[in-house]
Amino acid sequence: MEKEPIIRFQDFGFQYTAQAEPTLYHIDLDIYKGEKVLIAGPSGCGKSTLAHCINGLVPNSYPGKSTGSLTIGGKNAKDQGLFELSQTVGTVLQDSDGQFIGLTVAEDIAFALENDCVPIGPMHDTVERIAELVDVKQVLNHAPHEISGGQKQRVGLGGVMVGNVDVLLFDEPLANLDPATGKQAIVLIDEIQKRTGCAVIIIEHRVEDVLYCPVDRIILMEDGHIRYNGDPDSLLCTGLLPECGIREPLYVTALKYAGVELSKDMRPSYLPELTLTEVQKEQVRSWYEQHPNTEVSEAAPVLLRAENIDFTYDGGHHALRGVSVTVHKGEMLSIVGTNGAGKSTFSKVVCGFEKAQSGILELNGIDLNTLSIKERADHIGYVMQNPNQMISKTQIFDEVALGLRNRGVAEEEIRPRVEETLKVCGLYPFRNWPVSALSYGQKKRVTIASILVLKPEMILLDEPTAGQDLKHYTEIMDFLKELNQQGITVVLITHDMHLMLEYTPRAVVFNAGRVIADKSAAEVLNSPEIVAEAHLKETSLYHLSALCGIDDPEEFTRRFIARDREVRK
């Protein structure tokens, strides 16, 4: 007898009350216990709505009209409230902080048990068992804000697992994690799925990172429809991912550039088991040899000089320990490293939000300690990761004009400067719009415009592409590259290793408050020692070059990036 699916969509459609068009159309999808499924697709494709239908947020929290049918655990989803659905489907949110309730990790994991009036003895036993399963026993007495991003995610997972759910739903589990912690998260999800036999659903557009451990199926969504529903190997033999605005694994793209014809039996979806014939390896080597060496440009004059910067927070946390960094005029540079390595603290010291206890900090030879935060902002612009934390005006024009008005610039000078900046940022047609009408990526441009209008020499951006799919990522980064080519120095704080490779020739690597490397991006990601120490993640091109017998993985990576940039243009 064929087993029943734990989740079944049949000709299912959904339209939010506030929207003129449906978000989901004719969804037919079965998911079974014991399966691990990746749901991928660009922003706005409907994958989050699909997830909200599974965990009951649609229609219980987000009202709208559905067609067709959806059954979860054999029951009609419409007949189940949020509480009842939560006993079948456990959701681990993208933002772990938004999931915490308890004052300690143990309290947080125990929350659902307390609600169910479980006696104290069995409750302690369950918390201990779950904490061991998700590997957080050592932090049970810590407050949630005291633990790392990866540990927070484990605690969030533990909190939903106490209910013995049949489905675990992960909403963009990699969005806020550094590369090494992201890798650990994927391994944890894989282990939990094997131990519990749950159905695991991962919503994520970073396909290569999810495929660090194998998945059973990929569901690819586009414009509210399911474009593909099947095994990962067959999908990677097609061009569907880039067609739908999702980045393929880098090694897959490299094989295609080399003319290697992929087939399902090569196992292209799982790099450790990828098999290539000698002829195919020779194709890759031949492609590498036919492409020219990448040129290294000479360094420009120094713009920013930081030497032996030391900084300790009031609570005693020694965040920067003798940090020395030089930034050159017109450069585009990445600052990378694990969460808590000191990257953001360094940027705060540069911008004047924090004052270093010792060290030299100069811009164009001028001691920055002699300048106020406002004076520094005339030279160095800082763009936060979340644009909503920077925007304070309701209208776009007013937001971009705010810095000039605060500086007492005459209104007749403000208008042309704001309009010129809006044109540069591709926002001129929206100049009279309210900020609320913009997409996340457009809001990001508004925050950059509000800094650019002050004509700084350098812009510091914290995670400029966090949560963006390939299309929006490319729009933001190509825009920043254009600004850089106009002479503005751009410094990016990022966890995105591909961004570092593709757009920034140089990378400064932080770890435990120190600079442990200052090299080309390709050198950093092809050095197992740096990758391990800084909690980064080797590029899959490193492994592909080793598989094909190419002895200079750095140059192979550079040539691939150069070729990829040409193709995408």
Side-chain angles (χ1 to χ4, degrees):
M1 190 174 109
E2 191 179 332
K3 63 177 181 177
E4 280 291 306
I6 189 77
I7 296 167
R8 167 164 278 177
F9 289 90
Q10 290 180 296
D11 196 26
F12 183 85
F14 181 77
Q15 181 174 339
Y16 290 101
T17 302
Q19 294 192 346
E21 297 290 331
T23 300
L24 297 175
Y25 300 86
H26 305 296
I27 302 295
D28 287 299
L29 174 64
D30 289 347
I31 294 173
Y32 295 87
K33 276 192 77 173
E35 268 197 304
K36 185 161 59 151
V37 175
L38 166 61
I39 301 178
S43 298
C45 71
K47 61 185 188 294
S48 293
T49 300
L50 197 72
H52 292 156
C53 291
I54 292 169
N55 64 18
L57 288 177
V58 165
N60 291 296
S61 295
Y62 306 125
K65 181 187 173 189
S66 62
T67 55
S69 71
L70 167 59
T71 56
I72 295 174
K75 299 179 191 172
N76 192 325
K78 283 182 181 175
D79 300 334
Q80 302 181 65
L82 269 175
F83 175 71
E84 190 177 350
L85 278 168
S86 72
Q87 295 178 312
T88 303
V89 181
T91 305
V92 181
L93 299 175
Q94 174 182 338
D95 176 12
S96 303
D97 290 324
Q99 198 149 348
F100 289 126
I101 295 163
L103 296 177
T104 66
V105 166
E107 280 183 27
D108 203 79
I109 294 174
F111 180 75
L113 302 171
E114 289 179 324
N115 272 356
D116 291 343
C117 301
V118 173
I120 198 84
M123 186 192 299
H124 279 173
D125 293 344
T126 302
V127 169
E128 286 274 322
R129 177 176 59 81
I130 294 294
E132 192 165 342
L133 192 63
V134 297
D135 192 22
V136 292
K137 272 188 87 168
Q138 68 280 15
V139 294
L140 276 175
N141 295 319
H142 287 54
H145 70 266
E146 294 174 339
I147 60 179
S148 71
Q151 287 171 324
K152 284 178 181 178
Q153 199 169 57
R154 288 167 181 263
V155 174
L157 176 55
V160 299
M161 284 182 63
V162 293
N164 292 319
V165 293
D166 293 323
V167 180
L168 283 170
L169 176 63
F170 294 87
D171 182 11
E172 300 219 10
L174 305 174
N176 300 313
L177 302 179
D178 64 58
T181 307
K183 195 162 78 171
Q184 291 164 10
I186 292 301
V187 170
L188 174 69
I189 292 169
D190 192 60
E191 287 173 357
I192 295 296
Q193 193 269 328
K194 284 172 181 167
R195 285 192 210 173
T196 62
C198 286
V200 165
I201 302 168
I202 303 170
I203 312 285
E204 185 61 75
H205 59 260
R206 291 161 60 174
V207 170
E208 178 172 341
D209 293 329
V210 175
L211 291 179
Y212 182 73
C213 291
V215 302
D216 297 303
R217 260 194 301 159
I218 295 180
I219 288 124
L220 180 61
M221 296 194 66
E222 186 183 38
D223 297 331
H225 295 83
I226 291 179
R227 182 83 188 269
Y228 177 89
N229 176 8
D231 72 274
D233 291 312
S234 298
L235 174 62
L236 292 181
C237 296
T238 71
L240 280 175
L241 284 176
E243 271 180 42
C244 291
I246 297 293
R247 192 188 298 284
E248 290 177 317
L250 296 188
Y251 61 93
V252 169
T253 307
L255 288 168
K256 290 178 179 178
Y257 286 165
V260 173
E261 194 168 328
L262 297 180
S263 62
K264 182 180 172 180
D265 56 6
M266 289 166 62
R267 198 74 206 281
S269 73
Y270 188 46
L271 187 56
E273 293 179 10
L274 174 68
T275 55
L276 298 176
T277 65
E278 282 308 314
V279 171
Q280 289 166 332
K281 290 177 186 177
E282 180 53 41
Q283 280 179 281
V284 176
R285 288 193 292 269
S286 175
W287 175 88
Y288 168 67
E289 285 156 10
Q290 285 166 15
H291 281 74
N293 269 337
T294 50
E295 294 177 11
V296 179
S297 55
E298 290 184 22
V302 171
L303 175 65
L304 178 79
R305 181 169 78 97
E307 196 172 303
N308 288 321
I309 300 292
D310 237 74
F311 177 77
T312 302
Y313 285 101
D314 289 342
H317 173 51
H318 197 171
L320 299 176
R321 302 164 183 263
V323 167
S324 296
V325 176
T326 301
V327 179
H328 300 275
K329 288 183 179 177
E331 186 172 28
M332 200 157 176
L333 167 80
S334 281
I335 295 179
V336 299
T338 185
N339 294 329
K343 309 182 299 295
S344 294
T345 302
F346 176 70
S347 67
K348 288 174 187 174
V349 168
V350 168
C351 294
F353 306 147
E354 301 285 0
K355 186 170 170 41
Q357 279 86 21
S358 63
I360 297 166
L361 194 60
E362 294 178 344
L363 187 84
N364 286 322
I366 299 167
D367 182 358
L368 280 175
N369 290 318
T370 63
L371 303 181
S372 66
I373 291 177
K374 177 177 163 296
E375 288 168 331
R376 288 195 206 195
D378 292 333
H379 303 278
I380 302 168
Y382 181 65
V383 180
M384 297 168 76
Q385 178 176 338
N386 183 349
N388 296 316
Q389 292 174 341
M390 285 186 72
I391 292 169
S392 58
K393 295 292 180 182
T394 53
Q395 297 296 118
I396 291 170
F397 186 95
D398 293 337
E399 179 62 35
V400 178
L402 182 63
L404 296 174
R405 286 174 176 153
N406 284 346
R407 284 161 173 76
V409 176
E411 204 64 34
E412 59 267 23
E413 186 185 335
I414 288 175
R415 180 158 292 280
R417 274 179 69 172
V418 170
E419 289 183 349
E420 179 195 344
T421 305
L422 289 171
K423 284 173 185 172
V424 169
C425 297
L427 292 167
Y428 186 73
F430 314 115
R431 61 195 178 282
N432 298 318
W433 283 31
V435 174
S436 59
L438 298 183
S439 69
Y440 184 91
Q442 288 169 324
K443 285 181 185 175
K444 197 97 175 177
R445 286 185 179 227
V446 170
T447 60
I448 295 169
S450 66
I451 298 297
L452 267 187
V453 77
L454 303 175
K455 299 186 176 173
E457 295 167 81
M458 181 171 109
I459 299 185
L460 259 165
L461 299 105
D462 192 359
E463 293 290 352
T465 59
Q468 302 288 297
D469 62 25
L470 181 59
K471 178 174 177 284
H472 294 103
Y473 158 101
T474 304
E475 279 177 8
I476 289 171
M477 289 312 303
D478 284 352
F479 165 59
L480 290 174
K481 187 135 187 95
E482 282 172 31
L483 294 182
N484 178 242
Q485 287 164 350
Q486 292 171 28
I488 293 173
T489 303
V490 178
V491 178
L492 308 169
I493 298 169
T494 185
H495 284 146
D496 189 328
M497 297 297 95
H498 192 276
L499 178 155
M500 177 179 94
L501 271 176
E502 185 176 5
Y503 288 93
T504 62
R506 178 175 156 229
V508 176
V509 185
F510 276 64
N511 184 47
R514 293 186 170 89
V515 172
I516 63 165
D518 183 345
K519 299 174 180 287
S520 78
E523 278 181 279
V524 166
L525 287 191
N526 286 288
S527 165
E529 296 80 16
I530 295 172
V531 163
E533 190 178 351
H535 300 271
L536 304 176
K537 184 175 167 230
E538 286 164 349
T539 169
S540 57
L541 300 171
Y542 173 85
H543 299 285
L544 179 62
S545 59
L547 182 62
C548 295
I550 294 168
D551 57 8
D552 190 348
E554 289 168 33
E555 187 54 35
F556 179 74
T557 301
R558 288 192 192 98
R559 293 183 196 185
F560 168 81
I561 292 295
R563 176 65 180 142
D564 194 48
R565 200 177 286 131
E566 279 175 32
V567 169
R568 284 175 54 202
K569 271 183 185 172

mmCIF file of all heavy atoms in Angstrom, residues 23-45:
data_model
loop_
_atom_site.group_PDB
_atom_site.id
_atom_site.type_symbol
_atom_site.label_atom_id
_atom_site.label_comp_id
_atom_site.label_asym_id
_atom_site.label_seq_id
_atom_site.Cartn_x
_atom_site.Cartn_y
_atom_site.Cartn_z
ATOM 1 N N THR A 23 -1.011 34.890 -5.487
ATOM 2 C CA THR A 23 0.427 34.649 -5.278
ATOM 3 C C THR A 23 0.790 33.224 -5.667
ATOM 4 O O THR A 23 1.902 32.963 -6.102
ATOM 5 C CB THR A 23 0.793 34.917 -3.803
ATOM 6 O OG1 THR A 23 0.478 36.273 -3.502
ATOM 7 C CG2 THR A 23 2.266 34.697 -3.540
ATOM 8 N N LEU A 24 -0.141 32.286 -5.519
ATOM 9 C CA LEU A 24 0.097 30.883 -5.878
ATOM 10 C C LEU A 24 -0.967 30.417 -6.875
ATOM 11 O O LEU A 24 -2.143 30.757 -6.742
ATOM 12 C CB LEU A 24 0.036 29.986 -4.637
ATOM 13 C CG LEU A 24 1.084 30.235 -3.535
ATOM 14 C CD1 LEU A 24 0.793 29.334 -2.340
ATOM 15 C CD2 LEU A 24 2.495 30.002 -4.057
ATOM 16 N N TYR A 25 -0.522 29.634 -7.875
ATOM 17 C CA TYR A 25 -1.427 29.127 -8.913
ATOM 18 C C TYR A 25 -1.251 27.609 -9.074
ATOM 19 O O TYR A 25 -0.120 27.123 -9.245
ATOM 20 C CB TYR A 25 -1.105 29.749 -10.272
ATOM 21 C CG TYR A 25 -1.199 31.250 -10.372
ATOM 22 C CD1 TYR A 25 -0.116 32.057 -10.028
ATOM 23 C CD2 TYR A 25 -2.347 31.884 -10.848
ATOM 24 C CE1 TYR A 25 -0.172 33.436 -10.152
ATOM 25 C CE2 TYR A 25 -2.420 33.264 -10.982
ATOM 26 C CZ TYR A 25 -1.326 34.033 -10.631
ATOM 27 O OH TYR A 25 -1.381 35.396 -10.757
ATOM 28 N N HIS A 26 -2.341 26.859 -9.034
ATOM 29 C CA HIS A 26 -2.386 25.444 -9.434
ATOM 30 C C HIS A 26 -1.210 24.638 -8.860
ATOM 31 O O HIS A 26 -0.466 23.977 -9.596
ATOM 32 C CB HIS A 26 -2.397 25.319 -10.966
ATOM 33 C CG HIS A 26 -3.501 26.099 -11.621
ATOM 34 N ND1 HIS A 26 -4.827 25.820 -11.417
ATOM 35 C CD2 HIS A 26 -3.452 27.180 -12.449
ATOM 36 C CE1 HIS A 26 -5.568 26.678 -12.096
ATOM 37 N NE2 HIS A 26 -4.760 27.526 -12.722
ATOM 38 N N ILE A 27 -1.040 24.691 -7.541
ATOM 39 C CA ILE A 27 0.053 23.959 -6.901
ATOM 40 C C ILE A 27 -0.381 22.514 -6.657
ATOM 41 O O ILE A 27 -1.359 22.257 -5.958
ATOM 42 C CB ILE A 27 0.452 24.622 -5.558
ATOM 43 C CG1 ILE A 27 0.869 26.084 -5.769
ATOM 44 C CG2 ILE A 27 1.559 23.821 -4.873
ATOM 45 C CD1 ILE A 27 2.101 26.301 -6.592
ATOM 46 N N ASP A 28 0.361 21.578 -7.250
ATOM 47 C CA ASP A 28 0.186 20.144 -6.982
ATOM 48 C C ASP A 28 1.503 19.635 -6.400
ATOM 49 O O ASP A 28 2.531 19.622 -7.092
ATOM 50 C CB ASP A 28 -0.155 19.375 -8.262
ATOM 51 C CG ASP A 28 -1.588 19.640 -8.726
ATOM 52 O OD1 ASP A 28 -2.513 19.320 -7.963
ATOM 53 O OD2 ASP A 28 -1.758 20.195 -9.837
ATOM 54 N N LEU A 29 1.465 19.224 -5.141
ATOM 55 C CA LEU A 29 2.720 18.867 -4.477
ATOM 56 C C LEU A 29 2.448 17.924 -3.312
ATOM 57 O O LEU A 29 1.591 18.193 -2.475
ATOM 58 C CB LEU A 29 3.398 20.151 -3.966
ATOM 59 C CG LEU A 29 4.665 20.001 -3.123
ATOM 60 C CD1 LEU A 29 5.787 19.381 -3.942
ATOM 61 C CD2 LEU A 29 5.101 21.359 -2.563
ATOM 62 N N ASP A 30 3.179 16.809 -3.271
ATOM 63 C CA ASP A 30 3.132 15.876 -2.140
ATOM 64 C C ASP A 30 4.493 15.857 -1.458
ATOM 65 O O ASP A 30 5.534 15.794 -2.132
ATOM 66 C CB ASP A 30 2.807 14.448 -2.605
ATOM 67 C CG ASP A 30 1.363 14.293 -3.059
ATOM 68 O OD1 ASP A 30 0.555 15.206 -2.783
ATOM 69 O OD2 ASP A 30 1.051 13.274 -3.696
ATOM 70 N N ILE A 31 4.494 15.906 -0.114
ATOM 71 C CA ILE A 31 5.741 15.780 0.651
ATOM 72 C C ILE A 31 5.527 14.683 1.684
ATOM 73 O O ILE A 31 4.489 14.650 2.375
ATOM 74 C CB ILE A 31 6.124 17.117 1.322
ATOM 75 C CG1 ILE A 31 6.465 18.167 0.249
ATOM 76 C CG2 ILE A 31 7.310 16.930 2.271
ATOM 77 C CD1 ILE A 31 6.694 19.565 0.769
ATOM 78 N N TYR A 32 6.506 13.763 1.799
ATOM 79 C CA TYR A 32 6.375 12.581 2.649
ATOM 80 C C TYR A 32 7.311 12.669 3.850
ATOM 81 O O TYR A 32 8.361 13.326 3.797
ATOM 82 C CB TYR A 32 6.708 11.317 1.844
ATOM 83 C CG TYR A 32 5.738 11.051 0.725
ATOM 84 C CD1 TYR A 32 5.933 11.623 -0.530
ATOM 85 C CD2 TYR A 32 4.621 10.242 0.923
ATOM 86 C CE1 TYR A 32 5.033 11.404 -1.567
ATOM 87 C CE2 TYR A 32 3.716 10.007 -0.104
ATOM 88 C CZ TYR A 32 3.927 10.589 -1.346
ATOM 89 O OH TYR A 32 3.044 10.369 -2.360
ATOM 90 N N LYS A 33 6.930 11.977 4.948
ATOM 91 C CA LYS A 33 7.815 11.886 6.108
ATOM 92 C C LYS A 33 9.129 11.224 5.672
ATOM 93 O O LYS A 33 9.133 10.315 4.839
ATOM 94 C CB LYS A 33 7.163 11.056 7.214
ATOM 95 C CG LYS A 33 6.219 11.855 8.096
ATOM 96 C CD LYS A 33 5.827 11.103 9.346
ATOM 97 C CE LYS A 33 6.951 11.110 10.387
ATOM 98 N NZ LYS A 33 6.534 10.533 11.681
ATOM 99 N N GLY A 34 10.235 11.685 6.239
ATOM 100 C CA GLY A 34 11.543 11.110 5.895
ATOM 101 C C GLY A 34 12.205 11.775 4.706
ATOM 102 O O GLY A 34 13.353 11.477 4.390
ATOM 103 N N GLU A 35 11.488 12.693 4.029
ATOM 104 C CA GLU A 35 12.058 13.393 2.879
ATOM 105 C C GLU A 35 12.732 14.688 3.313
ATOM 106 O O GLU A 35 12.292 15.344 4.258
ATOM 107 C CB GLU A 35 10.946 13.804 1.905
ATOM 108 C CG GLU A 35 10.649 12.826 0.814
ATOM 109 C CD GLU A 35 9.856 13.486 -0.310
ATOM 110 O OE1 GLU A 35 8.784 14.047 -0.032
ATOM 111 O OE2 GLU A 35 10.319 13.429 -1.454
ATOM 112 N N LYS A 36 13.779 15.067 2.593
ATOM 113 C CA LYS A 36 14.373 16.400 2.765
ATOM 114 C C LYS A 36 14.208 17.144 1.446
ATOM 115 O O LYS A 36 14.719 16.714 0.407
ATOM 116 C CB LYS A 36 15.843 16.307 3.155
ATOM 117 C CG LYS A 36 16.425 17.684 3.446
ATOM 118 C CD LYS A 36 17.707 17.657 4.267
ATOM 119 C CE LYS A 36 18.803 16.892 3.630
ATOM 120 N NZ LYS A 36 20.128 17.396 3.996
ATOM 121 N N VAL A 37 13.462 18.250 1.494
ATOM 122 C CA VAL A 37 13.056 18.957 0.280
ATOM 123 C C VAL A 37 13.546 20.404 0.347
ATOM 124 O O VAL A 37 13.394 21.070 1.381
ATOM 125 C CB VAL A 37 11.509 18.940 0.137
ATOM 126 C CG1 VAL A 37 11.060 19.767 -1.046
ATOM 127 C CG2 VAL A 37 11.008 17.501 -0.002
ATOM 128 N N LEU A 38 14.138 20.884 -0.735
ATOM 129 C CA LEU A 38 14.529 22.289 -0.852
ATOM 130 C C LEU A 38 13.530 22.995 -1.761
ATOM 131 O O LEU A 38 13.270 22.545 -2.883
ATOM 132 C CB LEU A 38 15.944 22.392 -1.453
ATOM 133 C CG LEU A 38 16.394 23.766 -1.964
ATOM 134 C CD1 LEU A 38 16.418 24.793 -0.842
ATOM 135 C CD2 LEU A 38 17.758 23.664 -2.634
ATOM 136 N N ILE A 39 12.941 24.095 -1.259
ATOM 137 C CA ILE A 39 12.067 24.931 -2.089
ATOM 138 C C ILE A 39 12.844 26.199 -2.418
ATOM 139 O O ILE A 39 13.203 26.967 -1.513
ATOM 140 C CB ILE A 39 10.742 25.260 -1.381
ATOM 141 C CG1 ILE A 39 9.988 23.968 -1.037
ATOM 142 C CG2 ILE A 39 9.874 26.164 -2.251
ATOM 143 C CD1 ILE A 39 8.681 24.180 -0.286
ATOM 144 N N ALA A 40 13.152 26.396 -3.693
ATOM 145 C CA ALA A 40 13.985 27.519 -4.131
ATOM 146 C C ALA A 40 13.221 28.377 -5.126
ATOM 147 O O ALA A 40 12.246 27.937 -5.736
ATOM 148 C CB ALA A 40 15.281 27.004 -4.760
ATOM 149 N N GLY A 41 13.697 29.591 -5.302
ATOM 150 C CA GLY A 41 13.076 30.500 -6.262
ATOM 151 C C GLY A 41 13.460 31.927 -5.922
ATOM 152 O O GLY A 41 13.880 32.212 -4.798
ATOM 153 N N PRO A 42 13.316 32.846 -6.878
ATOM 154 C CA PRO A 42 13.689 34.247 -6.634
ATOM 155 C C PRO A 42 12.713 34.931 -5.685
ATOM 156 O O PRO A 42 11.641 34.400 -5.379
ATOM 157 C CB PRO A 42 13.612 34.874 -8.035
ATOM 158 C CG PRO A 42 12.615 34.032 -8.765
ATOM 159 C CD PRO A 42 12.785 32.633 -8.242
ATOM 160 N N SER A 43 13.079 36.128 -5.215
ATOM 161 C CA SER A 43 12.183 36.912 -4.356
ATOM 162 C C SER A 43 10.853 37.130 -5.071
ATOM 163 O O SER A 43 10.827 37.416 -6.265
ATOM 164 C CB SER A 43 12.804 38.271 -4.045
ATOM 165 O OG SER A 43 14.000 38.097 -3.340
ATOM 166 N N GLY A 44 9.753 36.960 -4.321
ATOM 167 C CA GLY A 44 8.433 37.215 -4.886
ATOM 168 C C GLY A 44 7.862 36.073 -5.695
ATOM 169 O O GLY A 44 6.803 36.209 -6.310
ATOM 170 N N CYS A 45 8.537 34.892 -5.686
ATOM 171 C CA CYS A 45 8.053 33.768 -6.517
ATOM 172 C C CYS A 45 6.918 33.000 -5.853
ATOM 173 O O CYS A 45 6.255 32.189 -6.493
ATOM 174 C CB CYS A 45 9.207 32.809 -6.834
ATOM 175 S SG CYS A 45 9.769 31.859 -5.406
#
